Amino acid sequence: MPLHTISPVLKSAPPRLKITDVECHVLLAPDFDVTFTSSAQDSLVVVIHTDGGVSGVGECDANPWMAKACIEAPGTHTMGLSIRDTLIGANPFEIGELWRKIYIGTAMNGRRGMVIHALSAVEMALWDLCGKATGQPVHALLGGATRNSIMPYASLQPAGRRFEEYRDALCLSAERAKALGFKAMKTEVTMNGPYAHNGMRESYDRHTEVLAAVRKTIGPDITLMVDVQYLWEDASTCLSVIKDWGEFNAYFLETPLWSDNVHEMAKLVEKAPMPIAFGEWLATRFEFEELMDIGKVQVAQPDVGRVGGIGEAKIVCDMAKARGRTIVPHCWKTGISISGTAHLAFVTNHCAFIEYLPPQLCHERLRRELAQEELVLNADGTIPLPTRPGLGVDVDWDVVKRYTVA
C-alpha cells in the first residue's frame, strides 16, 4: 500500500552499516508515585547498535514494560512480525522503509497504540544513529533547519493536597520559571476530573481562581498556556466555565475533553475564547487527520515518543501546515525526547513553541539525571540551533544502569 515515510536527506553516500543489536532498558525512578499524573517517572530507553561501532538512542512515552515487549516479542506470522528481528541486519539509513515494514508487518498487533509508541523509540534511535554516523545534527537530516532559534515554554509544577497549596505551588513555579528566563509557560489547572491532582475535588470556580493567580504572578507579557487534562465530558460544560477565561489571554487550552470525542471538540472550537490544543496521546498521522479535520482543533500536539517517531511527527506537522494549523509538540520526558522535539521544531516554522520540562523545576528524577541535552536557554527566552551530531544528547549510562528494572 502507498505509505509516505521520511528518511534522512543526505548530500553524499553514507557509511555502509548494518544493525547488529537492539537494547531495551526499562527505567523506573525509585521514588515514583503511582498517584502522580506524570509519565516522566519511567522510560523505555532503546539503543540500536551497528557493525561499525556507531549507536543511537531513543525513548518513548508509554508504559516501558509494555513497549519493551512490543519490540522484543518474536514474530509468528506475516501480520505479526517482530520489530527487533525486522531491524537486525538492516541498513539504519533506510528509516522510512524500516518504519513502513514495521508498521505493515505488525499491523495485527499495532497500527495504533502501544506498538506505535514503542516504534517511536526505535525510530528516534535511528535518527540519532544516522546523525552520529554522518557527523550531522538530526535537523540537517530532516532537510535542514529553517530558523536559528525556537521558543520553549516551561511546564509549571503543582504540589499539595489543598486548594491553597496547589495554587501557591503553581505560582511559585511560575516565579522560578520567569527567573530562569522563560518567556512562555504552561500551567495545569486540574483539581477535578479523571486526572485531578492528588484526587482533589474542587469547584470549577476555583479552577478560574488558580488561573487568575498564575496570570497575576507572571504579568501580562508572558505567554500563558493552560492544561486541564481532560477535565470535562462535553463542550457545553466546558464552555460554561471557560467563557470568561478570555481575560487571562491564554495562548491555548489543552485537552479540555476526552481525546476520542472529536465531535464535541468541533463544537468547543467554534465557541471557545482561546484556541484548543490536542494530540499528546495520539499515534500516527491518521489519528491527527481525524483530530484536525473532524475535531477542527487549532493547535496540534504530536509527541515524538508516541506518534510514531520524529519522521511521523514531521508528517503530522506537514499536514497541519496544509490546513493552516499551529504545531506545539507535547513532550513530558527526559532530555532524549526533548532533543528530538527540538530538532523537529527547527525544521517546522509553524511550530510556535516546544514543551520544556526544566530540570531545575521538576520533581522527576529521570529528567534531572538521565540525559544532558545540548539545548540552552538564551537571554531572550529562545533556544539556539544545536550543532552536535545526532540528537546532541549525552546519556549518563551509570544512571541507566542504576534505574534499569527490566
Side-chain angles (χ1 to χ4, degrees):
M1 76 179 196
L3 185 67
H4 170 59
T5 57
I6 292 179
S7 290
V9 177
L10 301 169
K11 296 180 180 179
S12 59
R16 300 181 68 175
L17 298 173
K18 287 186 178 181
I19 296 171
T20 56
D21 196 12
V22 181
E23 293 180 18
C24 295
H25 301 272
V26 173
L27 274 56
L28 181 66
D31 56 353
F32 83 98
D33 186 337
V34 73
T35 67
F36 282 6
T37 306
S38 175
S39 60
Q41 300 180 103
D42 60 43
S43 184
L44 179 77
V45 174
V46 171
V47 187
I48 297 180
H49 298 286
T50 64
D51 58 356
V54 184
S55 300
V57 63
E59 73 174 340
C60 66
D61 193 357
N63 182 291
W65 289 271
M66 293 182 183
K68 176 181 169 74
C70 288
I71 294 169
E72 296 182 342
T76 57
H77 55 85
T78 59
M79 298 179 185
L81 299 178
S82 165
I83 293 178
R84 184 183 187 279
D85 290 352
T86 302
L87 292 167
I88 298 299
N91 179 354
F93 287 93
E94 296 178 350
I95 296 178
E97 179 60 17
L98 285 170
W99 196 97
R100 188 191 71 82
K101 284 183 177 179
I102 292 170
Y103 179 77
I104 294 173
T106 62
M108 188 172 282
N109 306 325
R111 291 178 52 252
R112 305 288 191 276
M114 184 57 69
V115 172
I116 299 300
H117 305 331
L119 176 55
S120 301
V122 167
E123 197 259 16
M124 193 186 304
L126 288 171
W127 283 103
D128 185 44
L129 191 161
C130 292
K132 291 173 180 174
T134 58
Q136 298 183 79
V138 167
H139 60 73
L141 300 182
L142 287 168
T146 55
R147 49 184 171 168
N148 293 319
S149 64
I150 56 175
M151 180 72 73
Y153 72 79
S155 301
L156 306 183
Q157 298 283 279
R161 295 183 177 275
R162 296 169 46 250
F163 167 74
E164 294 80 8
E165 294 171 339
Y166 180 84
R167 177 199 62 201
D168 294 349
L170 287 169
C171 290
L172 177 60
S173 186
E175 289 175 350
R176 294 177 64 192
K178 188 174 181 180
L180 288 171
F182 285 92
K183 307 301 182 186
M185 304 174 195
K186 184 175 77 179
T187 184
E188 73 159 60
V189 186
T190 314
M191 298 175 290
N192 213 314
Y195 305 111
H197 178 77
N198 276 333
M200 297 173 72
R201 286 294 178 263
E202 295 288 348
S203 69
Y204 295 147
D205 286 344
R206 289 219 145 170
H207 287 69
T208 303
E209 289 180 44
V210 169
L211 181 54
V214 173
R215 172 50 84 188
K216 182 178 179 181
T217 297
I218 64 176
D221 298 328
I222 301 288
T223 300
L224 180 62
M225 303 156 218
V226 185
D227 184 357
V228 293
Q229 299 180 122
Y230 313 95
L231 179 56
W232 295 290
E233 294 185 357
D234 57 78
S236 61
T237 305
C238 174
L239 287 166
S240 72
V241 180
I242 69 167
K243 60 180 171 39
D244 299 322
W245 284 13
E247 65 177 289
F248 305 123
N249 192 26
Y251 184 81
F252 65 57
L253 179 66
E254 181 175 329
T255 57
L257 308 173
W258 195 247
S259 274
D260 298 318
N261 205 350
V262 289
H263 295 287
E264 287 296 303
M265 284 180 204
K267 297 176 186 177
L268 180 60
V269 165
E270 186 178 352
K271 297 183 179 180
M274 74 287 286
I276 302 301
F278 273 95
E280 63 178 12
W281 284 353
L282 303 192
T284 76
R285 69 198 74 174
F286 307 112
E287 292 190 349
F288 275 93
E289 183 177 37
E290 180 183 52
L291 183 77
M292 291 187 279
D293 291 353
I294 300 177
K296 306 295 183 182
V297 300
Q298 298 102 323
V299 182
Q301 297 179 288
D303 188 312
V304 295
R306 294 184 61 85
V307 71
I310 294 172
E312 190 70 3
K314 177 68 168 62
I315 290 169
V316 170
C317 291
D318 293 344
M319 291 168 56
K321 182 178 181 180
R323 291 162 171 78
R325 312 298 168 82
T326 299
I327 290 289
V328 180
H330 176 267
C331 185
W332 190 262
K333 217 62 182 172
T334 77
I336 300 171
S337 293
I338 291 172
S339 296
T341 301
H343 284 275
L344 174 70
F346 275 105
V347 300
T348 308
N349 285 348
H350 56 295
C351 175
F353 301 92
I354 67 165
E355 183 166 20
Y356 189 85
L357 182 58
Q360 303 97 320
L361 302 184
C362 74
H363 308 300
E364 286 77 5
R365 183 184 298 267
L366 292 180
R367 172 65 183 104
R368 298 195 308 268
E369 300 180 18
L370 178 63
Q372 179 63 52
E373 65 270 18
E374 180 185 359
L375 311 175
V376 294
L377 191 67
N378 284 332
D380 64 354
T382 63
I383 292 174
L385 186 69
T387 59
R388 293 177 57 190
L391 293 174
V393 63
D394 293 318
V395 175
D396 189 328
W397 296 106
D398 289 334
V399 172
V400 172
K401 183 178 180 180
R402 188 182 313 144
Y403 298 140
T404 292
V405 295

